[in-house]
Amino acid sequence: AQAQTEAPSVDLSGYTRVKQDLVAPPFAPAHEQVATGGPKIVEITMETEERLLTVDEDTGAEIWALTYNGSVPGPLIIVHEGDYVELTLRNPVDSMMEHNIDFHASTGALGGGGLTHIFPGEEAVLRWKATKPGVFTYHCAPGGAMIPYHVTHGMNGAVMVLPRDGLKDRDGNPLKYDSIAYIGEQDFYLPMNDDGDYKTYEVAGDDYSDSIDAMRTLTPTHSVFNGSVGALTGENALRAKVGETVLMIHNQANRDSRPHLIGGHGDFVWENGKFGNPPQTDMETWFIRGGSAGAALYTFKQPGVYAYVNHNLIEAALLGATGHFVVEGAWDNALMEQVVAPKSIET
Amino acid sequence: AQAQTEAPSVDLSGYTRVKQDLVAPPFAPAHEQVATGGPKIVEITMETEERLLTVDEDTGAEIWALTYNGSVPGPLIIVHEGDYVELTLRNPVDSMMEHNIDFHASTGALGGGGLTHIFPGEEAVLRWKATKPGVFTYHCAPGGAMIPYHVTHGMNGAVMVLPRDGLKDRDGNPLKYDSIAYIGEQDFYLPMNDDGDYKTYEVAGDDYSDSIDAMRTLTPTHSVFNGSVGALTGENALRAKVGETVLMIHNQANRDSRPHLIGGHGDFVWENGKFGNPPQTDMETWFIRGGSAGAALYTFKQPGVYAYVNHNLIEAALLGATGHFVVEGAWDNALMEQVVAPKSIET
Amino acid sequence: AQAQTEAPSVDLSGYTRVKQDLVAPPFAPAHEQVATGGPKIVEITMETEERLLTVDEDTGAEIWALTYNGSVPGPLIIVHEGDYVELTLRNPVDSMMEHNIDFHASTGALGGGGLTHIFPGEEAVLRWKATKPGVFTYHCAPGGAMIPYHVTHGMNGAVMVLPRDGLKDRDGNPLKYDSIAYIGEQDFYLPMNDDGDYKTYEVAGDDYSDSIDAMRTLTPTHSVFNGSVGALTGENALRAKVGETVLMIHNQANRDSRPHLIGGHGDFVWENGKFGNPPQTDMETWFIRGGSAGAALYTFKQPGVYAYVNHNLIEAALLGATGHFVVEGAWDNALMEQVVAPKSIET
Ligand SMILES: [Cu+2]
Ligand SMILES: [Cu+2]
Ligand SMILES: [Cu+2]
Ligand SMILES: [Cu+2]
Ligand SMILES: [Cu+2]
Ligand SMILES: [Cu+2]
Ligand SMILES: [Mg+2]
Ligand SMILES: [Mg+2]
Ligand SMILES: [Mg+2]
Ligand SMILES: [Mg+2]
Ligand SMILES: [Mg+2]
Ligand SMILES: [Mg+2]
Ligand SMILES: [Mg+2]
Ligand SMILES: [Mg+2]
Ligand SMILES: [Mg+2]
């Protein structure tokens, strides 16, 4: 802190200031894929929100989620390499807890965590330079056991730092997308009563001791996309058309995952999420290291419903890690054809 | 389905039809490493088989396995990029369950799963084009919790889509192999009685409810190669000679693994299994994302027994994930020498 | 053994003999980053040591650790590609157990494990050629369930085989480091009483049966860096200066990990640890396959405390996988600035 106070101020005269309006997942804020103009200071505001969240309607499982802007994951932030992110972070006066933010994409001070500890009723402003291109996790990190407690209560999200000239394949050819699907996989460790029912709590933080015990098993009760079972299915399914390209961003702030698109592929995949590296091609299943974000580009070639899953199928089917893409367009028998529909075996 | 029925039929006049005789693991069907002639329609037949399988003779652990062609994993299918796979899938009339197949290598309709649901006594024919080179998982996916249930009961296998001009190193030099070792790692979640004995069941499917409970722990009771403890050791060990190159294909349809060849290496490894990517070299241990297949090429340089393991050594030694390669040839002291055999410490 | 006895002896006339003095982790033995002169025979000595180790002072958790040279992990060995490692391995007469060593970097005889089985009071000498560049795990592997037992009791470490001309980025430009941080992550499975207290044992090996039961859960009670909670924090923290480059070597002989440097990055990362492959850049979190070592290079750009963690944050905060780098130097507001320190929200 001493060193920071005494450091010379930085000349920002070459930068343009812009505001970025954050939106709720699975959507992405308005942005350019290839930067126009010089570097920017991108101003964003986030508020910590502690809220009771239903994780699974079927069982009534719920959690006092700790969130940025009310969503799990927190909103996607998008800038270009060389831009600054300037975040105003606010903790409402009616919160129960201290929060902060650690940006994996930033450099120094515990990713900003050391400079943003705010108690209920406080705010702080942090500015950091996006020097490394890629998708990166951010999360709350108040210290000690509170770090996994806040992170496994939903307090995490992702920032995407695009190369100024956009995404490229391994040979340097440009890659574009038509839409972004921003998916946060969240492992929850919900305490249970002896009879197997999920416990309920009065306010945020009351589950602390029970949660620590549940976390120590390293076995989540839920692993869901975007906060709850079904957050990306049915009416909430993602939508696309044949011929469209989607950039799937998968954030997992704590636990490994292995996304797979049933019936599709990762045409170009940055498993580690860092765009300075050549993407891998033709992937069936890619791996997200716990505490990172990854990105996969796919151009839909057939209509229908595609399930997007964590391909530990137990986690997909029993713990909640399933979303859907509904894709419209014309079927292509050159890729797949039902030559004979199911019928009685000829004998 | 509507879209599929109305889609224009595809012109297959440029393709030659061939039948591929599938063989049981760890072996591979006859195939060319470099394709000769034009693209083919490769006709295969698989039958779903529900059978009582002994997982570990020592403990008597058994499972009503769900299989393709009776083996765990199902047979390896080999084609070249640009070929079609044309599968006739049959479900015998005496089966207990509905089955289908999802090919990760294919495009659309849940990997074919949406077009191949067959009840006992039914058959269907699916044709799909192999557009992406690599080794890929296939598995049964009847929907919901039945997906992990069928997959963790053995109903999975791999297809290899070779580049038409064969495998290459990162500089484009051709890579050949003398044999294939096709290894399916299977995580089983066998229900236990209160006294710690594995439960037994009358027919396939009777263990459903108990299995779902066991799966929810995310902790397998067994993780075995090719269906049972010892399936690749002793008389069943894999065999090679010094100077020979083996292509090790590792399929894990549900759970991450980390293969290692004790005393050897992965000279060239496609961890993600996709041959359009440059292989990694000199690997000690490679990583198989749950729900994918990977491939590693090694040329044996010394004789002896090589254990091939999942290098979570608990899984290797206690859960069953160990196989053996027995390699004949001449020892090379230039690579390793026992300078002093074990003897009493000189004092 | 027959084949080895009869094999022609090897001509070592072109090699220079040198002794390498091994040092305790997290430090590295004196070495050249770029080799001078011709290939060497690097002579080292290690002694197996069984010792009571306090894993966590807070809880009193302890283990009869099985070690090489008394430390967990065992000492880092450094050679260059083309050199020989010539190890004298000694098992003191007062040991309880047989030990050996399996070098993943070596070729044949189970990595040397088959040639180094030494009972208490015995010694053996093994020489092997370092043909593959990278960091590699070594560990004890006495056979069967004793393999995971010894490995999860601390009996593992790493060897680094440098390319003769040193490390390179993906374009072939040389990479240098100012210091090495050698970190071994150790998963312990400590048996507990029914009341939740860790059990204690009289001598090494007495915990065998209980340990096997604990290991079968696949859920460690501890995952610590360099043998115990806090081994790399406080007075034991790693130290660096702004502008200095550290090579972080992460060895995990049994279980996957995902290192992350809070507030920093992996500028150049060999996740699989093998230097013949192009390093990945800009990483937030990298993945260590259980049974391997990885390496990451980072140049510090800001002063302060950096936590180095397994970014399964439960493992970091509750199981022990946290270390610290304390970095001195001048703060750079151009990278990050606390624009507004925490204060009451303006209303
Ligand atoms: Cu928080
Ligand atoms: Cu973090
Ligand atoms: Cu089935
Ligand atoms: Cu699948
Ligand atoms: Cu030992
Ligand atoms: Cu090993
Ligand atoms: Mg509130
Ligand atoms: Mg439900
Ligand atoms: Mg960069
Ligand atoms: Mg039958
Ligand atoms: Mg047994
Ligand atoms: Mg392709
Ligand atoms: Mg002693
Ligand atoms: Mg403690
Ligand atoms: Mg080499």
Side-chain angles (χ1 to χ4, degrees):
Chain A
Q2 180 75 359
Q4 285 148 23
T5 317
E6 294 169 358
S9 60
V10 55
D11 176 12
L12 300 172
S13 56
Y15 293 81
T16 310
R17 284 191 171 266
V18 295
K19 285 195 200 306
Q20 181 163 103
D21 291 320
L22 301 178
V23 299
F27 303 107
H31 67 282
E32 298 175 322
Q33 294 186 40
V34 173
T36 55
K40 300 180 174 63
I41 299 169
V42 179
E43 301 176 359
I44 56 171
T45 298
M46 293 205 295
E47 192 166 280
T48 66
E49 186 183 346
E50 305 163 352
R51 54 176 284 241
L52 190 61
L53 173 74
T54 299
V55 175
D56 186 350
E57 287 194 350
D58 288 354
T59 61
E62 62 180 32
I63 188 169
W64 275 97
L66 309 178
T67 75
Y68 295 105
N69 281 8
S71 64
V72 177
L76 179 66
I77 301 159
I78 304 183
V79 299
H80 286 90
E81 194 178 356
D83 290 347
Y84 279 99
V85 173
E86 190 173 286
L87 166 71
T88 300
L89 186 66
R90 293 200 180 97
N91 189 346
V93 71
D94 65 350
S95 287
M96 304 301 295
M97 295 188 181
E98 178 188 20
H99 302 288
N100 71 348
I101 193 161
D102 164 5
F103 285 102
H104 285 191
S106 76
T107 301
L110 301 168
L115 303 177
T116 54
H117 282 277
I118 45 174
F119 288 92
E122 288 189 338
E123 65 183 1
V125 180
L126 179 77
R127 185 173 55 231
W128 56 271
K129 190 169 189 173
T131 61
K132 294 185 175 285
V135 283
F136 293 84
T137 289
Y138 65 77
H139 62 84
C140 190
M146 277 295 179
I147 303 175
Y149 176 82
H150 284 235
V151 170
T152 63
H153 280 64
M155 207 149 187
N156 59 80
V159 56
M160 177 159 72
V161 180
L162 284 166
R164 295 202 79 77
D165 53 353
L167 302 177
K168 303 282 175 68
D169 71 12
R170 95 164 60 93
D171 298 317
N173 302 305
L175 295 170
K176 298 293 179 96
Y177 48 85
D178 296 295
S179 67
I180 285 177
Y182 166 48
I183 296 159
E185 184 169 355
Q186 180 64 56
D187 48 328
F188 287 125
Y189 303 79
L190 299 192
M192 266 182 267
N193 289 317
D194 287 342
D195 58 5
D197 292 334
Y198 291 112
K199 297 177 80 163
T200 57
Y201 299 90
E202 291 294 308
V203 293
D206 274 5
D207 67 349
Y208 179 75
S209 173
D210 291 342
S211 290
I212 297 293
D213 289 346
M215 286 153 58
R216 210 178 272 276
T217 66
L218 299 176
T219 308
T221 53
H222 300 81
S223 194
V224 297
F225 294 155
N226 292 20
S228 60
V229 176
L232 297 177
T233 58
E235 288 191 359
N236 305 314
L238 300 154
R239 294 185 177 278
K241 291 188 168 57
V242 168
E244 286 183 353
T245 298
V246 60
L247 180 67
M248 298 169 278
I249 298 173
H250 196 107
N251 184 62
Q252 224 305 2
N254 188 61
R255 192 163 175 273
D256 304 329
S257 186
R258 50 210 68 68
H260 169 86
L261 181 66
I262 306 183
H265 296 92
D267 286 335
F268 299 92
V269 180
W270 297 266
E271 255 200 343
N272 69 35
K274 306 310 165 276
F275 298 135
N277 299 285
Q280 293 188 288
T281 52
D282 301 332
M283 298 279 276
E284 64 183 314
T285 301
W286 45 105
F287 190 72
I288 307 297
R289 297 127 186 85
S292 76
L297 206 65
Y298 185 61
T299 304
F300 286 101
K301 294 164 192 69
Q302 299 276 35
V305 175
Y306 292 73
Y308 179 92
V309 297
N310 171 340
H311 207 295
N312 181 310
L313 296 165
I314 302 171
E315 302 187 30
L318 301 185
L319 270 58
T322 300
H324 285 163
F325 284 90
V326 176
V327 180
E328 293 183 356
W331 183 262
D332 181 2
N333 275 323
L335 282 173
M336 178 179 284
E337 183 170 355
Q338 190 186 43
V339 182
V340 178
K343 63 169 180 104
S344 287
I345 294 175
E346 292 176 24
T347 51
Chain B
Q2 181 75 359
Q4 283 149 24
T5 316
E6 293 170 358
S9 60
V10 56
D11 176 12
L12 299 171
S13 56
Y15 292 81
T16 310
R17 285 192 171 266
V18 295
K19 283 193 200 309
Q20 182 163 102
D21 290 321
L22 301 178
V23 299
F27 303 107
H31 66 283
E32 299 175 323
Q33 294 186 40
V34 173
T36 56
K40 298 180 175 64
I41 299 168
V42 178
E43 302 177 0
I44 57 171
T45 298
M46 293 206 295
E47 193 167 279
T48 66
E49 187 182 346
E50 306 163 350
R51 53 176 286 240
L52 190 61
L53 174 73
T54 299
V55 173
D56 187 349
E57 287 195 349
D58 288 354
T59 61
E62 62 181 31
I63 190 170
W64 275 96
L66 308 178
T67 77
Y68 294 105
N69 281 8
S71 63
V72 177
L76 180 65
I77 301 159
I78 305 182
V79 299
H80 286 89
E81 194 180 356
D83 290 348
Y84 279 99
V85 173
E86 190 173 288
L87 166 72
T88 301
L89 185 65
R90 292 201 181 95
N91 189 348
V93 71
D94 64 350
S95 288
M96 303 300 294
M97 292 187 183
E98 178 188 19
H99 300 289
N100 70 349
I101 192 161
D102 164 4
F103 285 103
H104 285 191
S106 75
T107 302
L110 302 168
L115 303 177
T116 55
H117 283 276
I118 45 174
F119 288 92
E122 289 189 337
E123 66 184 0
V125 181
L126 179 77
R127 185 174 55 231
W128 56 271
K129 190 168 188 173
T131 60
K132 294 186 176 283
V135 282
F136 293 85
T137 289
Y138 63 77
H139 61 83
C140 191
M146 277 295 179
I147 303 175
Y149 177 82
H150 284 235
V151 170
T152 64
H153 279 65
M155 208 148 187
N156 60 79
V159 56
M160 178 160 71
V161 180
L162 284 166
R164 294 203 80 77
D165 53 354
L167 301 178
K168 302 282 175 66
D169 71 12
R170 93 164 62 92
D171 298 317
N173 303 304
L175 295 169
K176 297 293 179 96
Y177 48 85
D178 296 295
S179 66
I180 285 178
Y182 168 48
I183 296 159
E185 183 168 356
Q186 180 64 56
D187 47 328
F188 288 125
Y189 302 79
L190 299 191
M192 265 183 265
N193 288 318
D194 287 341
D195 59 4
D197 292 334
Y198 291 112
K199 296 177 82 163
T200 56
Y201 300 90
E202 291 295 307
V203 292
D206 274 6
D207 66 349
Y208 179 76
S209 173
D210 291 342
S211 291
I212 296 295
D213 289 345
M215 286 153 60
R216 209 177 273 276
T217 66
L218 299 175
T219 308
T221 53
H222 300 81
S223 194
V224 297
F225 294 155
N226 293 19
S228 59
V229 176
L232 297 178
T233 59
E235 287 190 2
N236 304 316
L238 299 153
R239 295 186 176 278
K241 290 187 169 57
V242 168
E244 286 183 354
T245 298
V246 61
L247 180 67
M248 298 169 277
I249 298 173
H250 196 108
N251 185 61
Q252 222 306 2
N254 189 61
R255 193 164 174 272
D256 304 328
S257 185
R258 50 210 68 67
H260 169 87
L261 181 66
I262 306 182
H265 297 92
D267 286 334
F268 299 93
V269 180
W270 297 267
E271 255 202 344
N272 69 36
K274 307 309 165 275
F275 298 135
N277 299 286
Q280 294 188 286
T281 52
D282 301 332
M283 299 279 277
E284 65 184 312
T285 301
W286 46 104
F287 190 71
I288 307 297
R289 297 126 186 85
S292 76
L297 206 65
Y298 186 60
T299 304
F300 287 101
K301 293 164 193 68
Q302 297 276 36
V305 175
Y306 292 73
Y308 178 93
V309 298
N310 172 340
H311 206 295
N312 181 311
L313 296 165
I314 302 171
E315 302 187 29
L318 302 185
L319 269 60
T322 299
H324 285 164
F325 284 90
V326 176
V327 179
E328 293 183 356
W331 184 261
D332 180 3
N333 275 324
L335 283 173
M336 178 180 283
E337 183 170 357
Q338 190 185 43
V339 182
V340 178
K343 63 170 179 103
S344 287
I345 294 174
E346 291 176 26
T347 52
Chain C
Q2 181 76 0
Q4 283 149 23
T5 317
E6 293 170 0
S9 59
V10 55
D11 177 13
L12 298 172
S13 55
Y15 292 81
T16 310
R17 284 191 171 268
V18 295
K19 283 195 201 306
Q20 181 163 102
D21 291 320
L22 301 178
V23 299
F27 303 107
H31 66 281
E32 300 175 322
Q33 293 186 41
V34 173
T36 54
K40 299 180 174 64
I41 299 169
V42 179
E43 301 176 0
I44 57 172
T45 298
M46 293 205 296
E47 193 166 278
T48 65
E49 186 182 345
E50 305 163 351
R51 55 176 284 240
L52 190 61
L53 173 74
T54 299
V55 173
D56 187 351
E57 287 195 349
D58 288 353
T59 61
E62 63 181 31
I63 190 169
W64 276 96
L66 308 178
T67 77
Y68 295 105
N69 281 8
S71 63
V72 176
L76 180 66
I77 302 159
I78 304 182
V79 300
H80 286 88
E81 195 178 357
D83 290 347
Y84 280 99
V85 173
E86 191 174 286
L87 166 71
T88 300
L89 185 66
R90 293 200 181 97
N91 188 346
V93 70
D94 65 351
S95 289
M96 304 300 294
M97 294 186 182
E98 176 187 22
H99 301 289
N100 71 350
I101 193 161
D102 164 5
F103 285 104
H104 285 190
S106 75
T107 301
L110 301 168
L115 303 176
T116 55
H117 282 276
I118 45 174
F119 288 93
E122 289 189 338
E123 66 183 0
V125 181
L126 178 78
R127 185 172 57 231
W128 56 271
K129 190 168 188 173
T131 60
K132 293 185 177 287
V135 281
F136 294 85
T137 289
Y138 64 77
H139 62 84
C140 191
M146 278 295 180
I147 303 175
Y149 177 82
H150 283 235
V151 171
T152 63
H153 279 65
M155 208 150 187
N156 60 78
V159 55
M160 177 160 70
V161 180
L162 284 166
R164 295 202 79 77
D165 53 354
L167 301 177
K168 303 283 175 67
D169 71 12
R170 91 164 64 92
D171 299 317
N173 302 305
L175 295 169
K176 297 292 180 96
Y177 47 86
D178 295 295
S179 67
I180 286 178
Y182 167 49
I183 296 159
E185 183 169 354
Q186 181 64 55
D187 48 328
F188 287 126
Y189 303 79
L190 298 192
M192 266 183 266
N193 288 318
D194 288 340
D195 59 4
D197 292 334
Y198 291 111
K199 297 178 81 163
T200 57
Y201 299 90
E202 291 294 308
V203 292
D206 275 6
D207 66 350
Y208 178 75
S209 172
D210 291 341
S211 291
I212 296 293
D213 289 345
M215 286 153 59
R216 209 178 272 276
T217 66
L218 299 175
T219 307
T221 53
H222 300 80
S223 193
V224 297
F225 293 155
N226 292 18
S228 60
V229 176
L232 297 178
T233 59
E235 287 191 1
N236 304 316
L238 299 154
R239 294 185 177 279
K241 290 188 168 58
V242 168
E244 285 182 352
T245 298
V246 61
L247 180 68
M248 298 170 277
I249 298 173
H250 196 108
N251 185 61
Q252 224 304 2
N254 189 60
R255 193 163 175 273
D256 304 329
S257 186
R258 52 210 67 67
H260 169 87
L261 181 66
I262 305 182
H265 297 92
D267 286 335
F268 300 92
V269 180
W270 297 266
E271 256 201 344
N272 69 36
K274 307 309 166 275
F275 298 135
N277 298 286
Q280 294 187 286
T281 52
D282 302 330
M283 299 279 276
E284 65 183 314
T285 301
W286 44 105
F287 191 72
I288 307 297
R289 297 124 184 87
S292 77
L297 207 65
Y298 185 61
T299 304
F300 286 101
K301 293 164 193 69
Q302 298 276 36
V305 175
Y306 293 72
Y308 179 94
V309 297
N310 172 341
H311 206 296
N312 181 310
L313 296 166
I314 302 171
E315 302 187 29
L318 302 184
L319 270 58
T322 299
H324 285 164
F325 283 90
V326 176
V327 179
E328 294 182 355
W331 183 260
D332 180 2
N333 275 324
L335 283 173
M336 177 180 283
E337 183 170 355
Q338 191 185 41
V339 182
V340 178
K343 64 170 179 97
S344 287
I345 294 175
E346 293 175 25
T347 51

